[in-house]
Amino acid sequence: MTRELPVGSLIGSDLPAPAHVLAPRLNRHTFWCGQSGSGKTYALGVLLEQVLLHTRLPLVILDPNSDFVRLGEVRQGVAADAAAELASRDIRVFRPGDAVRPLHARFLQLPLRSRAALMQIDPLVDFDEYNTMLRFEDEMPHVKDGDLVAHLRAGEGTIRQRLATRLENLGVADWDLWAWGKRSITDDIDERPDAAVLDLGGFSTQAEARAAALAALDHLWEKREERIGRLIVIDEAHNLCPPDPASPVDRLLTERIVQIAAEGRKYGLWLLLSTQRPTKVHPNALSQCDNLALMRMSSPRDLDDLAEVFGYAPMSLLERSPGFAQGQALFAGGFVQAPALVQMGERLAQEGGRDVPVPLR
């Protein structure tokens, strides 16, 4: 059994020495950050590949930029044994509109608060509409062919008609996200594949991407009493867990992530939050992270905030962050034996997203 995950080599050691992350300590929340161009996403891929190779910990990856959609595609030149191991893992990638694995969720199985937020219904301001939705719960199994608008139109009462009109005006019922009787992402999550990658970047609207993320996180929280260990990777976490969420859906998403950060560890729901800007992530989620991976970060404000939140990271090492080369990182917290500077290793799988090169004549 491999307890140590190889992620690269130590910087500053007299002799070449491998750098490791302690697999058992991924049962704490992890914060992964680095400014644009630092190699943050590539480095995160290195860790996730090692988790896939050496643990049975299921990954649920919320991927807003389609960076991990090729996680199961092995690169040329990778050692045959590692390539075979990675290729044998059950890695499922879900994309909007995909013919094989479309990213679908069930609108009617979302919690009431989430459905109301998607319809921009406030329980106190729009109390009649919300109350009608509350009393509609018993009817949901009887909606035919997923045609919620038609079901509401067929009923009596002006409020039901207003709900149908609201759905039509917002276009929510027509989103490609909804399964309407087909397989949902939650069905796959319950089967515990080695990795479930949700390609949120494939949606045409930000609202659908947020709804897909909310559906997955709501489901994981509702199933928390099963106490199945999972690593929930949220890339570009500032988009889903900002300190000042604006829309009702953004507020619910932030609330759910903060709730998982505060209470999820004992249920086996472990977050890995990745971002370019620590100050753009809700502080109540940030402060719950016991592991830190810091790549190049030039902003003095961000470094000051990191020093305040992550007191276990030596200031002498934090201060070196602005000078890190691409692919270099500071690892601190419970998932390493001691704080260390690391040169990240090579990826095994293909990168999903790359920088666009400057065209030369």
Side-chain angles (χ1 to χ4, degrees):
M1 180 176 63
T2 301
R3 295 174 57 86
E4 297 182 336
L5 308 179
V7 293
S9 57
L10 295 175
I11 297 173
S13 58
D14 295 332
L15 297 174
H20 296 95
V21 164
L22 302 176
R25 300 298 290 185
L26 290 173
N27 69 344
R28 300 292 189 273
H29 304 310
T30 300
F31 190 64
W32 196 282
C33 60
Q35 69 185 44
S36 179
S38 64
K40 170 180 63 70
T41 301
Y42 184 97
L44 177 55
V46 172
L47 175 65
L48 298 184
E49 288 165 0
Q50 294 303 316
V51 172
L52 287 168
L53 287 179
H54 300 296
T55 79
R56 297 182 182 274
L57 177 61
L59 305 177
V60 177
I61 304 173
L62 304 184
D63 185 8
N65 291 332
S66 309
D67 286 322
F68 298 102
V69 296
R70 303 183 69 186
L71 190 57
E73 301 176 29
V74 182
R75 298 172 62 185
Q76 289 185 349
V78 172
D81 55 346
E85 280 290 317
L86 187 60
S88 71
R89 297 298 182 259
D90 184 4
I91 299 172
R92 307 180 191 180
V93 178
F94 302 90
R95 297 181 174 94
D98 189 87
V100 179
R101 287 203 176 105
L103 179 43
H104 283 160
R106 294 193 181 97
F107 180 80
L108 294 176
Q109 287 188 358
L110 292 174
L112 174 60
R113 288 185 65 204
S114 297
R115 279 181 276 126
L118 290 171
M119 295 174 65
Q120 300 180 26
I121 291 175
D122 185 280
L124 298 181
V125 176
D126 309 299
F127 51 86
D128 283 334
E129 287 88 343
Y130 191 88
N131 185 259
T132 298
M133 291 182 67
L134 182 63
R135 290 185 284 110
F136 183 73
E137 296 291 289
D138 293 337
E139 287 186 49
M140 290 197 301
H142 305 297
V143 177
K144 294 181 180 180
D145 301 321
D147 197 340
L148 180 58
V149 172
H151 185 89
L152 289 168
R153 292 282 189 213
E156 296 181 358
T158 58
I159 298 177
R160 289 173 68 106
Q161 303 304 315
R162 290 213 302 262
L163 287 174
T165 301
R166 183 182 287 260
L167 280 167
E168 289 178 329
N169 289 349
L170 292 173
V172 171
D174 297 326
W175 284 355
D176 292 335
L177 170 64
W178 306 126
W180 298 132
K182 300 176 184 176
R183 189 173 177 83
S184 167
I185 181 61
T186 56
D187 297 322
D188 284 272
I189 287 175
D190 287 343
E191 291 180 355
R192 304 178 214 170
D194 295 304
V197 182
L198 282 64
D199 180 13
L200 304 181
F203 287 107
S204 59
T205 66
Q206 192 178 81
E208 279 188 89
R210 299 284 200 272
L214 185 59
L217 294 174
D218 278 344
H219 183 74
L220 288 167
W221 184 250
E222 287 178 347
K223 296 281 188 174
R224 66 190 181 279
E225 291 293 349
E226 294 179 354
R227 296 180 184 268
I228 298 167
R230 285 190 175 91
L231 185 62
I232 305 169
V233 181
I234 304 179
D235 197 19
E236 307 297 347
H238 53 276
N239 290 327
L240 300 186
C241 190
D244 51 353
S247 74
V249 173
D250 286 342
R251 287 194 289 272
L252 273 188
L253 260 175
T254 299
E255 179 183 310
R256 180 65 75 207
I257 293 170
V258 168
Q259 186 175 38
I260 293 173
E263 306 173 43
R265 189 170 65 82
K266 62 186 176 184
Y267 297 112
L269 299 178
W270 307 315
L271 293 170
L272 193 160
L273 304 175
S274 176
T275 185
Q276 297 177 16
R277 294 295 308 276
T279 54
K280 298 299 184 181
V281 176
H282 198 288
N284 291 345
L286 190 66
S287 62
Q288 297 295 327
C289 293
D290 293 326
N291 302 319
L292 171 66
L294 170 64
M295 306 193 74
R296 184 170 66 248
M297 187 72 65
S298 300
S299 167
R301 179 187 173 189
D302 285 332
L303 288 173
D304 288 343
D305 285 351
L306 288 171
E308 182 177 347
V309 174
F310 302 105
Y312 50 79
M315 179 58 72
S316 59
L317 297 183
L318 284 171
E319 290 175 342
R320 295 179 62 176
S321 172
F324 284 171
Q326 189 176 56
Q328 294 182 342
L330 162 63
F331 280 61
F335 70 166
V336 288
Q337 296 284 6
L341 300 182
V342 175
Q343 177 64 55
M344 298 299 295
E346 296 292 324
R347 289 285 304 268
L348 304 177
Q350 300 284 352
E351 296 175 72
R354 297 182 180 179
D355 291 341
V356 178
V358 174
L360 302 177
R361 294 188 185 278

